[in-house]
Amino acid sequence: MARSDVEFRSGGVVCRAWLYRPDADDPAPIIVMAHGLGAIKEMRLDAFAERFCDAGYACLVFDYRHFGASDGQPRQLLSVRRQLGDWAAAIAFARSLAEVDNRRVILWGTSFSGGHVLAAAARDGDVAAVIAQCPFTSGTASVLAMAPATAVKVTGRAIADLAAKVARRDPVMVALAGEPHDTALMTAPDVVPGYLSLVPDGQPFTNEVAARVVPEIALHHPGRALAHLTCPVLVCVCEKDSVAPPRQTIRYAQRGPTTQLNRYPEGHFDIYVGDAFEEVVADQVDFLDRVVPLG
């Protein structure tokens, strides 16, 4: 395989990405990939992309505006609307590539982007398939999973940041990963060891985002898109998920006319590494072989 650095523009801002191309004679279908809440592509997306590329698929792995290698000010500004715009721009860029089978674009998302790929596919209407891994599907379910005291503290940060936005001041930040009872968006016991361990040694990473995203998350329900998708969809649910509550995701998946639901007895962060990673990535390759075969 070959990996190269590429870039495309979204909303006038440069997004940077990795382009993986398999060693094959024929143009390969391309999988567009991005990470979850506040995460960057170096946090194990390369491991998934390498497996897909070994199986014969091209991959475009990008960072959102305001995060990682991509441009955008202020840094760490998480916006559902802008990130969905980045997905649309990444899909358009993938379709512009002559060296891949740009008629067959597949979307792959995990955690927060597992919800994004459902919404992005519904908006686009012409993707070949979707893989949503431990997806965020319901803002209501995620808010109810938070400890009440944590929800109150996080809401206070959000109000302060919205006021700062109106006053044109610097954003008020909130941590992404924290210990139980910390003021953070994710505070389950497995979050800090699971999320932060995905950051490679020496890789710059900022464990915070502008708190104004909190009401956007609460009102976002991308799982509803499953009922309307007509392309093949694979939803991989972690039954012990402490971050993206599985019960509501399973309900949404059961309403999807083209949805295959796979369930794993794992926590939210377990499937990025070890035996759980091996199992889930093998299932995803099998799904691709069936619904978007090579050649």
Side-chain angles (χ1 to χ4, degrees):
M1 72 178 74
R3 189 181 93 178
S4 56
D5 295 330
V6 297
E7 59 186 46
F8 58 90
R9 299 189 73 84
S10 178
V13 175
V14 173
C15 289
R16 295 187 173 85
W18 295 324
L19 176 61
Y20 289 81
R21 288 167 293 176
D23 184 8
D25 294 329
D26 297 323
I30 184 166
I31 306 172
V32 182
M33 306 173 62
H35 221 312
L37 192 73
I40 56 178
K41 61 186 186 297
E42 287 82 4
M43 294 167 67
R44 291 285 292 173
L45 292 199
D46 50 350
F48 285 92
E50 287 168 8
R51 292 301 183 88
F52 297 144
C53 199
D54 281 343
Y57 295 85
C59 297
L60 177 71
V61 188
F62 73 94
D63 280 328
Y64 297 109
R65 281 178 278 176
H66 309 283
F67 290 90
S70 295
D71 293 345
Q73 294 293 334
R75 302 305 292 168
Q76 304 301 116
L77 177 63
L78 203 164
S79 161
V80 172
R81 177 182 60 82
R82 293 189 185 200
Q83 291 195 348
L84 287 174
D86 296 344
W87 273 100
I91 294 167
F93 178 70
R95 288 183 175 140
S96 75
L97 298 171
E99 64 266 38
V100 304
D101 183 354
N102 52 24
R103 299 164 301 168
R104 295 195 291 168
V105 175
I106 302 151
L107 308 188
W108 182 99
T110 186
S111 193
F112 203 55
S113 71
H116 283 343
V117 292
L118 305 178
R123 291 184 178 191
D124 183 86
D126 196 30
V127 300
V130 177
I131 297 175
Q133 174 177 283
C134 54
F136 166 92
T137 57
S138 168
T140 300
S142 292
V143 169
L144 291 175
M146 296 178 72
T150 300
V152 169
K153 290 186 288 186
V154 166
T155 299
R157 290 283 180 90
I159 293 170
D161 189 34
L162 289 169
K165 179 182 177 182
V166 171
R168 299 180 181 272
R169 297 196 303 267
D170 291 339
V172 176
M173 311 302 281
V174 64
L176 288 159
E179 301 290 350
H181 309 300
D182 283 352
T183 304
L185 298 181
M186 299 180 289
T187 58
D190 61 335
V191 166
V192 168
Y195 183 82
L196 296 182
S197 68
L198 299 178
V199 182
D201 290 342
Q203 174 66 44
F205 178 73
T206 304
N207 181 31
E208 63 182 11
V209 293
R212 68 192 67 173
V213 74
V214 171
E216 274 195 272
I217 292 174
L219 297 174
H220 190 40
H221 296 83
R224 294 171 180 170
L226 277 166
H228 308 290
L229 291 177
T230 57
C231 66
V233 181
L234 174 63
V235 175
C236 300
V237 171
C238 294
E239 294 177 325
K240 300 177 183 178
D241 200 318
S242 62
V243 174
R247 182 178 300 178
Q248 184 59 55
T249 297
I250 292 168
R251 289 174 181 162
Y252 282 136
Q254 290 171 341
R255 299 171 193 166
T258 59
T259 300
Q260 173 185 329
L261 174 64
N262 285 15
R263 299 167 69 158
Y264 302 89
E266 309 291 348
H268 187 83
F269 303 100
D270 295 334
I271 57 175
Y272 295 97
V273 295
D275 292 342
F277 163 77
E278 298 293 344
E279 181 180 4
V280 73
V281 77
D283 289 346
Q284 291 171 6
V285 169
D286 287 344
F287 171 77
L288 293 171
D289 285 344
R290 284 189 292 103
V291 304
V292 192
L294 302 177

